[in-house]
Amino acid sequence: MLNVLMLGIGQCGNRILDAVNREAFGGSSRLSKYYSRQKFPSRVETLAINTAINDLKELRFTAAKDRLHVPNLHGVGANRGIGKQGFWENREMIMEEIERRGDFDIAFVMTSASGGTGSSFTPLVVHELKERYKKITVIPVMVLPFREEGSIYLQNAAFSMRDIMEVESDGIILVDNQYLKRLSGDIKTAYDRINEMVAERLLFLIESLDSEMLSVTDLGDFKTVMRGGLGMGTLGFYESDKKTTSLTSAIEGSIKPTGLLYPADVYEDAARAMIIIQGSKEYLEVDEITKAVEKLSTKIGQVFKGIVIKKGRPKVLSVFTLSQVPDLEMLYAQAAQAIQDEKSKKTRAKKQLDDAFAYIEDLEEVY
Amino acid sequence: MRRIYLVLIAIMLLAIPFAPMVAAASEADEEVEEETTIRDFSLRVDEGVRIGDYRVELISVISRVDGLIEVKVWKRVSTFEDWRVMEILRDANFDEGADRGGLTITVIEIFDEDTVRMRAKYRSSYGYPQKYITERGMAPKNLPELEVTTALDRKDVSVGDEVKVTITVNNIGNATARDVAVQDSPPLPAFRYVAGYPPKIKNSLEPGESDVAVYSMVAATEGDVTIPATVARYADSKSRVSSASSQPQSVTIKPKRKPDLVLLVEPPQPISYGGRGTVNVTVKNQGDASAYMVEVKSNLKSVGDGLEVVEGNLDRSFLEIPAGGSESYSTTIEGSRSGSRIIDLLATFQADGAILQKETTFEVMVLERELRFLYFLPIVPVLILAAWLFRRYKEYKY
Ligand SMILES: Nc1nc2c(ncn2[C@@H]2O[C@H](COP(=O)(O)OP(=O)(O)OP(=O)(O)O)[C@@H](O)[C@H]2O)c(=O)[nH]1
Ligand SMILES: [Mg+2]
């Protein structure tokens, strides 16, 4: 059995973690926590970490003991410098809280790349985990901001992505709010949808890594996939509807742009991939799966496949890493521009202020 | 002619039965020397003897010393009557003497003022002398006569009861009774004599006068006792002593009277848990004597854990409960613990200086709490559910 640690840091990370916990209750009902019991595929420990106590209070499906407030900070106001400092000051307390939960084979650290707390804590937490748990596989799940959210968020995203690439993680899963914006016009609903999608896919992934599959994929295979390319990738998902139960179309569906969490042309950009098919036995035609996967392999290269027999219509999860991330480059360009703008805005403002102060130069207060 | 013969024959036939009579008559006339008998007999004054058609009556003893008595001799269906004073040992012929069909009487002995012995000679055909009482003897005499009655004032006698005995002596004669003395039976061991014993009566009682003696005694031992007749002795004017007695009476002396208390308890219906019940107690004296200083006590306090008296008191006392009487009271008790309890009730009382006891038991049931408990049962799952929900709420409340 896999020992899985799921950390949600910052508001975004907390909320995705809450979605994971909600998913584990098996219901969409808000009251499910009162009558149901969480069912995780493996031993899963969840922990929400935040500097803003109000963000922790907002959570609904995460047990109180699984919410860790980093004291003396009421949010870092998107300032990654303050965030980092806060982590260092509370490092032992945070890590002890994690270590109290026992040994882990894999950790998912979920955060927004653009906030203050999450984006500054995550690279440091990843580093600490790697230091303290020798054999752990650490997968950061980074949520990229809406591009119009402002220059500070863009800037944070750019620097935090660089930080996370620098620490030795085992591969990053990207989630792009901007790309998933299409799901709903209303931001709140969009967040919930995105969080739900991420939660669903991560639990699916954990379940398939821990199952006795027909065609075996294990943690090692997953690590191989995640280490491929740039060491960052995303997740795709497809669930057959009543009419189309064709496995080939389900597998193709899972790598179509509509099923992804981050915009990518899988056939062009993917470095390595893993396709996990789940469903009732009667749907699972091994030959068909093999054919479809082989077809993918010719385009992508290494494709692992896993088959999980579980009651229900076929569901397919695709995990892949990318050899090129044009969208991220664009984000950096935007970020650079934003930083530039921010700088000139600042100097202009400073100059304006200096000019204003010039009026009272050499004057004294008179009463 | 023939008719004359017939008449003659008839006359002759009729004449036949008379023939011996005619012959006898003629014989008596002819044979003077007929057989005689001599008989001795004693006579009292006013007594007489029948000898054939003759009657010999002793009128009185005139003088015993002189040997003179007075007799009256008469013959039935004839005019013969002879009053004569006779001298002792001298024959006297009456109606021409024995040799001529009369009587020859001799006084042989004079015993006392009343009684003499005589000898009579008469024709054997007169038979034996037969005694009778003369009309004079039967006529009332001027003598005292006492009547004695003894009466007990009660029929129903128990040991310890006082019985009053009334002796009434009444002179129903027509002369004064002298030297009257009553003699009651010697004291009976079955009784203790308290007062008035031995009974005394006036010394003399005029005709029609009566006197009463009363004494009282206390029955001492149980059993059947016969009270013998009371005898009154008295004398008449001639100092002749007579006696009269009452009827003997029999009395059954029952055992000593005693009080006998019974405790009748009407226990309450099973008491519901925490509820109340009433105990009704009746102390009844079934005996035939009063019970004094009656004290009723219960052991409720020692058994009655969870049973309390809330109204009245099970313990009571009464100064006296007369024979046949009864006292009732009731008590309210409350059961605060379920179960069945046996309660003793003890009555102590006094009778004749002795302390007696009577005991009874009764059961008081206090029902289980069960029913009320049921009301709480539906709450249990609700509470469990609420506890569960609260725990979950706490678990997720940050
Ligand atoms: N997908 C998703 N994105 C979110 C959610 N909440 C916030 N974000 C994004 O996260 C970024 C903001 O970062 P937060 O996580 O709120 O910031 P933080 O880590 O809490 O840091 P501070 O609030 O600055 O201390 C923005 O780009 C939001 O669009 C969410 O629930 N789901
Ligand atoms: Mg925040």
Side-chain angles (χ1 to χ4, degrees):
Chain A
M1 189 193 275
L2 279 181
N3 293 303
V4 183
L5 175 66
M6 299 188 89
L7 296 177
I9 308 176
Q11 186 172 33
C12 174
N14 291 169
R15 284 187 182 168
I16 294 170
L17 191 80
D18 212 41
V20 167
N21 275 318
R22 179 181 184 155
E23 192 71 20
F25 271 115
S28 49
S29 165
R30 297 189 53 187
L31 296 173
S32 55
K33 68 178 172 193
Y34 286 114
Y35 57 79
S36 187
R37 204 171 262 285
Q38 282 192 317
K39 265 182 247 123
F40 282 112
S42 306
R43 186 177 80 85
V44 175
E45 291 284 344
T46 64
L47 184 63
I49 302 170
N50 208 330
T51 53
I53 198 155
N54 285 338
D55 291 352
L56 289 171
K57 281 184 177 165
E58 216 179 71
L59 306 182
R60 290 287 167 269
F61 296 92
T62 306
K65 67 169 175 62
D66 289 342
R67 305 183 208 183
L68 178 64
H69 178 227
V70 179
N72 305 322
L73 292 168
H74 293 282
V76 298
N79 187 326
R80 293 188 70 244
I82 299 175
K84 280 178 185 171
Q85 196 189 327
F87 179 81
W88 288 123
E89 281 165 12
N90 296 286
R91 182 179 64 164
E92 281 314 310
M93 184 269 283
I94 294 166
M95 293 316 293
E96 247 169 53
E97 189 65 35
I98 293 167
E99 280 169 330
R100 266 191 336 114
R101 287 167 162 71
D103 202 9
F104 296 105
D105 303 306
I106 184 165
F108 293 95
V109 187
M110 300 165 291
T111 182
S112 68
S114 51
T117 308
S119 71
S120 59
F121 274 36
T122 301
L124 301 173
V125 169
V126 169
H127 176 75
E128 289 295 326
L129 287 174
K130 275 291 185 186
E131 285 281 298
R132 289 168 197 243
Y133 296 91
K134 287 299 166 210
K135 284 182 186 161
I136 198 167
T137 302
V138 183
I139 307 292
V141 178
M142 304 296 288
V143 180
L144 302 176
F146 299 112
R147 304 296 184 265
E148 60 271 24
E149 265 182 308
S151 54
I152 293 184
Y153 277 177
L154 281 172
Q155 171 192 310
N156 279 350
F159 283 98
S160 71
M161 283 308 291
R162 192 182 68 189
D163 285 355
I164 203 76
M165 304 271 271
E166 278 169 2
V167 295
E168 270 301 301
S169 82
D170 296 281
I172 301 157
I173 291 173
L174 292 173
V175 179
D176 195 347
N177 277 350
Q178 181 69 26
Y179 179 62
L180 296 169
K181 202 175 155 188
R182 61 193 150 83
L183 295 175
S184 169
D186 164 41
I187 290 196
K188 180 85 178 65
T189 326
Y191 282 163
D192 288 345
R193 260 311 281 142
I194 297 163
N195 299 350
E196 203 181 296
M197 284 168 80
V198 175
E200 191 181 25
R201 285 162 203 222
L202 288 177
L203 287 176
F204 190 112
L205 176 64
I206 292 166
E207 188 178 3
S208 54
L209 291 179
D210 208 18
S211 306
E212 287 166 22
M213 297 191 200
L214 270 178
S215 178
V216 186
T217 52
D218 57 17
L219 188 53
D221 298 339
F222 176 66
K223 266 164 102 171
T224 308
V225 172
M226 291 311 291
R227 290 250 172 90
L230 295 168
M232 58 177 79
T234 194
L235 304 174
F237 187 73
Y238 185 85
E239 184 172 3
S240 307
D241 53 27
K242 275 175 205 159
K243 288 169 204 161
T244 54
T245 51
S246 151
L247 282 171
T248 313
S249 58
I251 290 167
E252 280 168 1
S254 75
I255 52 174
K256 271 184 188 155
T258 46
L260 304 183
L261 295 177
Y262 174 81
D265 183 345
V266 178
Y267 293 109
E268 289 297 316
D269 303 337
R272 287 173 192 167
M274 188 176 195
I275 303 289
I276 301 153
I277 303 124
Q278 196 188 69
S280 298
K281 216 169 182 176
E282 67 259 32
Y283 299 124
L284 303 185
E285 193 50 65
V286 181
D287 285 353
E288 195 183 347
I289 295 167
T290 311
K291 253 180 218 158
V293 171
E294 273 170 6
K295 205 175 128 195
L296 265 180
S297 303
T298 55
K299 302 254 174 135
I300 299 169
Q302 179 61 45
V303 178
F304 294 90
K305 72 165 188 287
I307 300 169
V308 180
I309 293 169
K310 194 181 178 186
K311 213 166 175 306
R313 284 197 298 276
K315 292 175 185 174
V316 180
L317 178 77
S318 60
V319 185
F320 51 89
T321 43
L322 300 164
S323 47
Q324 47 180 330
V325 278
D327 271 76
L328 198 60
E329 271 177 50
M330 254 158 75
L331 184 137
Y332 272 88
Q334 280 178 341
Q337 185 63 52
I339 291 165
Q340 211 57 57
D341 288 355
E342 200 72 12
K343 250 187 187 161
S344 54
K345 230 190 263 172
K346 247 188 186 164
T347 39
R348 213 178 319 131
K350 179 94 171 72
K351 192 176 175 294
Q352 258 176 17
L353 207 57
D354 285 348
D355 291 349
F357 289 156
Y359 287 108
I360 56 166
E361 227 175 38
D362 306 328
L363 291 179
E364 292 277 313
E365 288 134 296
V366 182
Y367 300 105
Chain B
M1 245 334 254
R2 271 189 182 168
R3 270 187 197 166
I4 293 169
Y5 287 135
L6 278 171
V7 170
L8 278 175
I9 289 165
I11 291 168
M12 280 178 72
L13 283 171
L14 284 169
I16 287 169
F18 296 103
M21 268 180 68
V22 175
S26 59
E27 252 177 339
D29 285 346
E30 284 161 38
E31 288 180 46
V32 180
E33 280 181 49
E34 210 174 313
E35 216 178 314
T36 57
T37 304
I38 295 171
R39 302 270 179 203
D40 286 0
F41 54 87
S42 58
L43 266 186
R44 288 170 65 93
V45 173
D46 294 338
E47 275 180 355
V49 288
R50 287 188 201 102
I51 302 169
D53 282 339
Y54 290 100
R55 304 286 187 267
V56 179
E57 296 175 2
L58 175 62
I59 302 302
S60 68
V61 174
I62 298 169
S63 170
R64 198 183 152 201
V65 183
D66 298 334
L68 293 177
I69 64 161
E70 187 184 7
V71 292
K72 175 190 175 187
V73 178
W74 53 283
K75 192 181 179 184
R76 206 176 64 92
V77 209
S78 80
T79 52
F80 175 74
E81 186 181 305
D82 195 354
W83 292 72
R84 218 182 278 184
V85 173
M86 289 177 70
E87 204 186 339
I88 193 167
L89 299 174
R90 188 171 289 226
D91 296 347
N93 285 326
F94 292 91
D95 204 9
E96 293 177 51
D99 296 337
R100 299 293 218 116
L103 304 172
T104 302
I105 296 169
T106 316
V107 176
I108 305 167
E109 202 180 343
I110 300 171
F111 297 115
D112 55 30
E113 319 302 287
D114 280 318
T115 324
V116 299
R117 190 163 184 81
M118 293 183 182
R119 175 170 298 159
K121 191 181 173 197
Y122 53 89
R123 283 190 178 167
S124 307
S125 58
Y126 292 173
Y128 287 98
Q130 287 169 7
K131 259 192 187 175
Y132 70 93
I133 295 181
T134 62
E135 270 170 60
R136 259 190 69 220
M138 284 188 293
K141 280 167 249 169
N142 279 343
L143 285 176
E145 192 183 346
L146 295 192
E147 190 185 62
V148 185
T149 54
T150 307
L152 307 185
D153 69 338
R154 61 197 301 169
K155 283 257 156 57
D156 182 24
V157 183
S158 297
V159 172
D161 285 354
E162 189 175 310
V163 184
K164 228 181 241 173
V165 183
T166 306
I167 295 167
T168 310
V169 182
N170 191 11
N171 186 354
I172 53 166
N174 38 30
T176 304
R178 301 172 204 285
D179 305 324
V180 180
V182 288
Q183 195 197 344
D184 203 61
S185 51
L188 296 168
F191 292 98
R192 231 164 7 91
Y193 291 81
V194 194
Y197 194 85
K200 293 210 168 56
I201 284 292
K202 267 173 105 177
N203 205 42
S204 75
L205 290 172
E206 296 300 317
E209 192 185 355
S210 66
D211 193 18
V212 169
V214 179
Y215 66 89
S216 58
M217 56 192 186
V218 173
T221 56
E222 58 179 277
D224 290 331
V225 182
T226 302
I227 299 174
T230 304
V231 180
R233 288 184 196 287
Y234 58 99
D236 59 8
S237 54
K238 290 178 181 166
S239 296
R240 281 184 299 199
V241 175
S242 302
S243 69
S245 55
S246 63
Q247 291 292 319
Q249 301 204 33
S250 60
V251 172
T252 301
I253 302 175
K254 291 190 211 152
K256 193 168 171 57
R257 288 173 199 277
K258 272 190 296 190
D260 180 15
L261 290 192
V262 275
L263 289 164
L264 305 170
V265 182
E266 206 181 291
Q269 297 292 311
I271 299 172
S272 61
Y273 189 89
R276 290 175 177 196
T278 307
V279 184
N280 292 320
V281 181
T282 301
V283 190
K284 197 171 167 187
N285 187 353
Q286 284 187 331
D288 41 20
S290 283
Y292 296 97
M293 308 297 285
V294 180
E295 272 192 81
V296 183
K297 273 211 152 64
S298 81
N299 64 342
L300 180 75
K301 286 215 176 70
S302 49
V303 239
D305 188 17
L307 208 60
E308 278 130 59
V309 171
V310 286
E311 220 181 288
N313 197 342
L314 263 182
D315 299 352
R316 288 287 176 105
S317 55
F318 307 99
L319 277 177
E320 180 187 353
I321 300 178
S326 67
E327 293 280 354
S328 294
Y329 61 94
S330 51
T331 306
T332 305
I333 52 177
E334 190 178 270
S336 58
R337 240 191 44 197
S338 61
S340 149
R341 292 173 192 76
I342 303 290
I343 295 168
D344 290 335
L345 210 57
L346 177 73
T348 309
F349 55 99
Q350 293 185 13
D352 236 1
I355 292 174
L356 304 170
Q357 288 191 329
K358 210 63 188 269
E359 206 175 351
T360 191
T361 60
F362 62 98
E363 190 184 8
V364 176
M365 270 286 291
V366 180
L367 296 176
E368 294 283 336
R369 200 184 212 155
E370 246 176 4
L371 281 174
R372 295 208 178 170
F373 204 72
L374 281 177
Y375 297 136
F376 295 106
L377 277 184
I379 297 173
V380 171
V382 173
L383 284 177
I384 290 172
L385 192 69
W388 165 269
L389 290 176
F390 183 69
R391 227 193 64 204
R392 274 289 163 105
Y393 170 77
K394 281 293 276 190
E395 202 178 330
Y396 288 93
K397 172 72 188 166
Y398 183 81

